[in-house]
Amino acid sequence: MIFDTHAHYDDEQFDEDRDELLKSMQDLGVGTIVDVSATYESCEKVLALAGKYPHVYAAIGVHPDEVGELNEDKIQHMKELCCNKKVVAVGEIGLDYYWDKENHDLQKEWFIRQLDLARKKEKPVIIHSREAAADTMEIMKEYASGLRGVIHCYSYSAEMAKEYVKMGYYIGIGGVVTFKNAKKLKQVVQEIPLESIVLETDCPYLAPVPYRGKRNSSLYLPYVAEEIAALKGAAAEDVVLQTEENARKLYGL
Ligand code: NI
């Protein structure tokens, strides 16, 4: 069954139908979901969801755009939350130079601190990296050796994807691959092995065609699997099976 390796069902866009939606997933072919925290506040929310639904797991971490709110007490609390049995990763963490041009040093500092948290808690990492390819790779090489994980919503070159694959990382592919203008990402999918790809929504964001611009959910992942299958000359069922196996290895499930 489909494994959604990166979702945000704690987002307020799901307030009206979250329960109904999550309860329907397994009947509709989505077997497992990892709900990923992005803010410090959302860490408790993703854990609550993981506690309520057997097929939902949690990742604890703070997104680079939100690290300004972190301090010693909060990172200590996150470390304690990581002891919960349903926490399968530290994320999403990383660097994002798209919006904020001022706080690169702060982002780097908390990225490294959260990589360290993953190492201490023996968890894989979920990496968010946007417009920060070189700095991300530099930090990963220096501070993430021995860690496992996924480069989520991958947006860089095929060459760099192959380098991450060599380092043992998975590449997260979502709705963007179905966009007509996503030539670079389609090339990435063609050039890396299916054994290194995991499916993700990043919902409520980044819905695939034909729902582009609408609220995304794990139920749209078949469109992503079909696009990957077309790009690799494989069957969509095989893409679903292989990416599920990859996701289980990634998160140790
Ligand atoms: Ni995300």
Side-chain angles (χ1 to χ4, degrees):
M1 277 205 284
I2 283 173
F3 193 129
D4 186 352
T5 59
H6 191 121
H8 300 286
Y9 283 105
D10 50 295
D11 191 281
E12 60 183 15
Q13 289 189 49
F14 293 108
D15 280 356
E16 279 190 10
D17 58 349
R18 180 179 297 109
D19 189 52
E20 195 184 333
L21 197 55
L22 286 173
K23 277 183 181 156
S24 72
M25 286 293 164
Q26 289 188 305
D27 287 339
L28 297 170
V30 178
T32 316
I33 295 164
V34 173
D35 207 60
V36 180
S37 57
T39 63
Y40 175 72
E41 283 69 33
S42 67
C43 292
E44 299 273 7
K45 290 186 191 162
V46 302
L47 268 183
L49 286 181
K52 189 169 178 190
Y53 304 97
H55 59 297
V56 177
Y57 293 83
I60 296 295
V62 173
H63 185 289
D65 285 338
E66 308 287 344
V67 291
E69 61 174 1
L70 281 174
N71 59 35
E72 294 307 319
D73 286 349
K74 288 178 176 172
I75 191 105
Q76 183 56 37
H77 185 222
M78 286 162 63
K79 194 174 165 188
E80 285 156 20
L81 293 180
C82 284
C83 297
N84 186 301
K85 269 191 293 195
K86 292 209 76 178
V87 174
V88 294
V90 168
E92 56 188 291
I93 62 174
L95 301 174
D96 192 324
Y97 295 170
Y98 183 74
W99 298 108
D100 199 330
K101 309 280 181 209
E102 310 283 291
N103 69 346
H104 295 184
D105 287 343
L106 191 74
Q107 287 193 22
K108 287 182 191 172
E109 181 192 333
W110 285 108
F111 181 23
I112 293 166
R113 290 288 303 272
Q114 293 185 89
L115 287 171
D116 195 46
L117 171 66
R119 187 185 311 282
K120 284 195 181 115
K121 303 309 290 181
E122 298 181 333
K123 303 282 183 201
V125 287
I126 300 170
I127 306 294
H128 171 105
S129 179
R130 190 176 187 195
E131 313 247 321
D135 282 3
T136 304
M137 183 56 91
E138 198 183 310
I139 288 178
M140 296 294 285
K141 290 215 158 138
E142 196 167 341
Y143 298 94
S145 70
L147 289 179
R148 304 172 298 113
V150 55
I151 314 299
H152 132 75
C153 197
Y154 186 78
S155 61
Y156 301 136
S157 68
E159 283 65 37
M160 189 168 266
K162 285 189 246 178
E163 201 169 343
Y164 278 118
V165 166
K166 231 185 261 171
M167 289 160 70
Y169 281 80
Y170 291 93
I171 303 295
I173 303 290
V176 175
V177 79
T178 67
F179 299 175
K180 223 178 194 167
N181 57 356
K183 290 206 179 78
K184 206 166 72 172
L185 188 59
K186 290 180 199 283
Q187 194 193 345
V188 167
V189 168
Q190 284 172 323
E191 293 196 19
I192 62 173
L194 188 55
E195 287 71 22
S196 296
I197 293 175
V198 291
L199 300 182
E200 61 169 44
T201 54
D202 208 17
C203 66
Y205 310 106
L206 299 175
V209 173
Y211 296 101
R212 188 174 180 176
K214 304 261 166 41
R215 187 187 74 172
N216 196 6
S217 95
S218 314
L219 300 178
Y220 297 160
L221 277 174
Y223 295 99
V224 176
E226 274 164 30
E227 180 65 26
I228 294 172
L231 288 165
K232 295 195 93 55
E237 306 91 81
D238 293 337
V239 170
V240 169
L241 277 174
Q242 183 64 53
T243 53
E244 182 190 16
E245 190 185 324
N246 301 344
R248 291 197 181 285
K249 276 189 199 152
L250 162 64
Y251 291 131
L253 291 171

